[in-house]
Every structure is written in C-alpha cells, then in structure tokens.
C-alpha cells in the first residue's frame, strides 16, 4: 500500500507540493479501502474517519435529503467539508461501482493543513477565510465608512444663532455643524455657509442657523465603503457627508478624513462622468472601464468591491444622463424616480452589462404630462447604449411604456404578480425585486418595496412558484467528468459562469430576501442578512458565501484575462484553462450551490 499511495499522490495536487519526507509519512499513515457497489462510505451526520481520495471507481455524493449532488471518480476527493467544520459529514457518500479509495486520517489531514501552506490553501473553505489570501490595500475601496467617520459629531438645533454657531465651530475646531430636530438629522451648516450665505448677505448675528443650513443633506449608512463617500463628494462637490443609521445621525466624514487614504482610481471616472458635457464625453469615460476592471483585480480587490465600484460609475453616468435630459426637454412636469434592476440594481456589474431600468411617476398626471417622459426615457436609454450599456434584449427599459408608469400602476403590477404567479409574473417579479433607486424622488419608492415584500412573503403559493423559478438555472455538475460543458455552438466545451454559476446564487439570495422580508438588494448583503435573521443556517449561509465568492471571482478573472488578450470579455470559461487546483475548488463551489438549491426545494415545497 505504501508505494501505491506514494506513486499516486506524488502526481496529485496539492500532495505534489509536499516534501518527499512528508509525502512518505503520509503514505504510511493513509489506508486503502475497497468498497463494494452500493456500499456506503459514510452517511449524513456521521463522524468522518478522514479525507477520501478516489483511486478507482465511481462515488455518488448526496445531500441530507438524499438528492444526488454529484458523481466523483479517480483523483477526486470528498469529505473535506465536514472535516473543515466539526468533523461530522454534511453529505452522504456511496459507491456506484466497485471502488478503491485512499483515506487520510482526520488527525493527519488537520496536521497537514497546519504544516503546509499549499495544503491549507487548497483545502480552505473559500476566498473569505483570509488565511492565505493576499492582504488588500488599505485604501478607500476596502475600508468601511464606520472606520473613516468621526463619531458623535457636534450638533445643534435649528434655532441656534449663526453667531453662536460660528463660535461653537471655532471652539471645537470643526468646519461644520449637523442640525438636528429631536433625534433626526434635518440639515448641515458649514463655514462656507456662514461666509457665503450669512456674512456675504449681511444677515443679523441672531439669524437662526436653520435659515442658512443645507436642508435634508445627502447621507450614507455606516455599511457603505470609503469609495462611496469619495464618489458622492466628487459627483456633488461636497466637503462633508453625514452618516445616518435608521434615521439617526451616527457620524460624519469630511474631505480631511479622506486625506490619509489613497483615493481609488474610480474617483477619476466618477468625477469625469459627473461633469461630462455630452453623451460622447460620457462614452469616453465608460470606454475605459474594461481596463479599470483589470487594474482593480490586479491590485487584489475582491469581486464584490470591483463590481460595486464599476456599478458606481454606471449610476453616475445614469444620473448625468437624467440631468442632460432635463436640460434638453425642460423641467419635468412632476416628480419621478429612475430605478435600475438586474446587475446594476444589485450593484454587481462586471465588464459585460446591458441596461435594465424603469420609471416610477407621480400619480394623477395628465396625458400631456405623461407624454413628457417618453422622449425623456428614450434620451437616457439611448445615452446608456452609447456608453456601452446595451439595450436590454427583453425590452426591460423605461422606453417601454409598460415600465414607465405612475406609482399606483406599479403597486397594481406587484399585487397582480403575487396573486397570479404565471411564468411571466415570476420572471418579472424576480427582476423587479432587484430594483434600486438611481435618480429622482426616492419617496415614490418608499413603502412600495416593503409592502410588496410583506405581501409576497405571506402568499405561500407565490413563494413556492418563486422558489421553483429560482431553481431553473442548474450548476454545471456532471455525473462522470465533474464539470459539464456546453455541447455545441460558439461556446462549445465551455461553462457559463454567469447563468450556471452566479445566477443560481443570485436567485437563492432573492428567495432568502423574500422569505425574510429583507430589503437588501445586493446578493452578498442578502445572504448576510439571511444568516443574521435566521432565514438560512449560519453554516449553510457561510458555505454559500464562500462558493459565490469563488465563482464570481473566477468569472471576473476570466473577463480580465480576455481584456488583457485584446478580446471582448464574456462569461464562458473553458475548464481546461484552469489548473487541477482551480477545477477542484470550482467543482466544490458548485456542489455547495447545488446543495443549497436542494435545501430550498425541500423547505419550500417547490411546485413542478
């Protein structure tokens, strides 16, 4: 057995990274197991003897409900997920034909992880562990606003006089005051306001600060990242940004607070887009996004940071186009709100993105007032297409009158989709649950989203249909070869990392949000909120986050590679372009995703 194990393992990653002495010791401690057809190697919930590697034969892996997850063959290993947790199996394994296995005892497995960085990295639970990941730069794209902000900012009421306010700023050596009414932030006043509005106009010293403050200032939550602050400041020429949680002021970030951090290169894009004089100038900005994606990934940024920053640029481009449309067609006749859905709505745009958007209008508009928004929407969507955000193939855009309606019609839409969950209704509801406000009056969307989530979660038939719809995209797991590739056409012998990798997790996240009435839109945020609220178990949720991170990061790296080769980025990856190490991890990620799909199916009573 010793020579057989040594000869086999020395050509198998990550064992080929071990020293000869370590590999010889492992070969002595490993045991060979012969398994008859239909025999169980282990059942769900049993204590694992160790890590199993297939010498020959075929092994079926099943989840807790008995649903097949995958079939493994020579050189594949299994049992590591349970070993990396508490030593108890989270799947079941059975031989589909006479098989030969090598078993590395659990204690030996854990010692190898402790002693060998390569071994530890190979069997890490995912990219979020951080054990062997390169440290990210301490820049604005990876620092939380809660870290940047000054806590307990100086506040005053709106009745304080401007003389008292100036004295307070001087005494505290600050450049702004946050104006609060009761416990709610109602405005902000800066030294520029004192000089430009009070002193320059010759206002009396007893003028209330509330008369010169900027009312209802722009804010961010403490969960935002530093680049969000920088982008908002550059877009709107702000020097101070209050941080608000659930309506309560919790901190403030100023330009001075940002000086110790190097600004992300996306700030240049945001500034250029925010002040672009024409659509052509906007297109010149977005044309550089592929190179930006390469640069951000090369700097070690995680996929969700990269897609967040790329989406920030799309948001600013959209808002600039809205402003251009208002300049072209005159002031709008009513309040409106432009919203994005799809990847922009979820803040998950990559190097390949079309546009998905809609308009919510104020109720009670005349035909003439409604007519204003037709060329308005056409101008914005045409501008987005010119900037590389191509027209939605499914016509899910504000240019379609169906998706340019008063708020009462939108409420009726959601009510009808929930009451009559046809295939089209499920598809539309899935898209519209990812809506995020981009520009206009956000009050038009307030209440609609929370009311819709409550109604949807309370309708068991609708949620069952939605769960069924969420499981339509299967992972590319095969029975024998590990990964199933596309059989014919332009993308033959490749896997679709978007529709068969990322989309299944996006769908799961949306279902978790629906079940828990969670208002988060971003996929990672949805899964995190689902874990926190108990919608999904912590172990299952963490595994899913790890799997999602790996698939999404692989997708972005593939796009970056294409860009560097002078090719248009896409989502189709050849497994042969990956190392054994990468293929093994990707397969394991798909196994986790399929397991969570199966768990959803069992829990929700999915309709066929």
């Amino acid at each position: 057995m010793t020579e057989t194990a040594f000869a086999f393992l020395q050509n198998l990653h990550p064992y080929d990274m071990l020293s000869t002495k370590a590999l010889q010791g492992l070969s002595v401690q490993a045991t060979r197991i012969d398994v008859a057809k239909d025999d169980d190697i282990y059942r769900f919930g049993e204590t694992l003897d160790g890590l199993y590697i297939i010498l020959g034969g075929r092994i079926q892996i099943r989840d807790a409900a008995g649903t097949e997850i995958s079939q493994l063959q020579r050189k594949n290993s299994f049992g590591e997920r349970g070993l990396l947790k508490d030593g108890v199996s989270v799947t079941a394994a059975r031989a589909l034909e006479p098989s030969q296995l090598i078993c590395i005892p659990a204690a030996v497995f854990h010692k190898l992880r402790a002693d060998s960085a390569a071994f530890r990295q190979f069997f890490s639970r995912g990219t979020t562990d951080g054990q062997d990941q390169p440290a990210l730069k301490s820049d604005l794209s990876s620092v939380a606003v809660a870290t940047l902000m000054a806590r307990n900012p100086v506040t005053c009421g709106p009745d304080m006089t401007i003389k008292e306010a100036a004295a307070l700023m001087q005494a505290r050596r600050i450049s702004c005051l946050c104006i609060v009414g009761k416990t709610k932030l109602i405005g902000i006043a800066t030294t520029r306001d004192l000089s430009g509005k009070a002193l320059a106009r010759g206002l009396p010293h007893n003028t209330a600060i509330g008369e010169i403050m900027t009312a209802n200032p722009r804010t961010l939550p403490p969960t935002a990242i530093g680049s969000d602050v920088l982008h908002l400041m550059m877009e709107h020429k702000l020097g101070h940004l209050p941080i608000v949680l659930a309506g309560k002021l919790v901190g403030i970030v100023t330009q001075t607070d940002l000086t110790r951090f190097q600004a992300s290169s996306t700030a240049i894009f945001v500034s250029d887009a925010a002040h672009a004089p024409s659509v052509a100038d906007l297109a010149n900005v977005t044309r550089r996004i592929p190179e930006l994606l390469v640069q951000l990934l090369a700097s070690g940024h995680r996929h969700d940071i990269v897609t967040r920053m790329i989406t920030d640029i799309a948001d600013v481009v959209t808002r600039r186009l809205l402003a251009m449309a208002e300049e072209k067609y005159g002031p709008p006749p009513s309040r409106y709100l432009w919203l994005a859905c799809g990847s922009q709505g979820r803040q998950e745009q990559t190097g390949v993105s079309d546009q998905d958007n809609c308009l919510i209008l104020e109720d009670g508009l005349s035909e003439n007032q409604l007519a204003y928004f037709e060329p308005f929407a056409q101008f914005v969507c045409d501008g987005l297409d010119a900037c590389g955000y191509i027209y939605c193939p499914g016509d899910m855009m504000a240019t379609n009158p169906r998706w340019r309606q008063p708020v009462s019609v939108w409420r009726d839409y959601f009510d009808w989709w929930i009451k009559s969950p046809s295939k089209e209704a499920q598809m539309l509801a899935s898209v519209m649950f990812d809506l995020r406000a981009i520009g206009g009056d956000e009050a038009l969307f307030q209440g609609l989203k929370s009311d819709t989530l409550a109604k949807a979660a309370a309708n068991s038939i609708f949620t069952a249909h939605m769960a069924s719809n969420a499981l339509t995209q299967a992972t590319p797991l095969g029975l024998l070869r590990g990964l199933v590739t596309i059989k014919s056409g332009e993308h033959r012998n490749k896997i679709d990392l978007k529709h068969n990798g990322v989309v299944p997790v996006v769908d799961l996240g949306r279902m978790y949000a629906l079940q828990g009435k969670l208002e988060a839109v971003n996929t990672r945020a949805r899964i995190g909120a689902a874990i926190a609220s108990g919608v999904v178990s912590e172990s299952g949720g963490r595994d899913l986050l790890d799997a999602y991170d790996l698939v999404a990061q692989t997708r972005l790296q593939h796009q970056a590679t294409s860009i560097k080769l002078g090719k248009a980025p896409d989502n189709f990856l050849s497994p042969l372009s990956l190392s054994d190490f990468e293929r093994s991890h990707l397969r394991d990620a798909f196994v986790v995703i399929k397991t969570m799909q199966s768990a959803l199916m069992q829990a929700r009573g999915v309709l066929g």
Side-chain angles (χ1 to χ4, degrees), residues 564-585:
K564 286 187 286 187
L565 293 174
K567 301 177 182 178
D570 62 25
N571 297 301
F572 299 95
L573 173 73
S574 169
L576 295 178
S577 67
L578 302 175
S579 66
D580 287 344
F581 171 90
E582 293 166 327
R583 277 197 300 274
S584 177
H585 273 288

Side-chain angles (χ1 to χ4, degrees), residues 432-447:
M432 294 305 176
F433 276 130
D434 292 350
L435 285 174
R436 182 172 61 88
I438 303 298
D441 192 338
E442 295 191 26
L444 292 170
F445 194 45
Q446 290 174 357

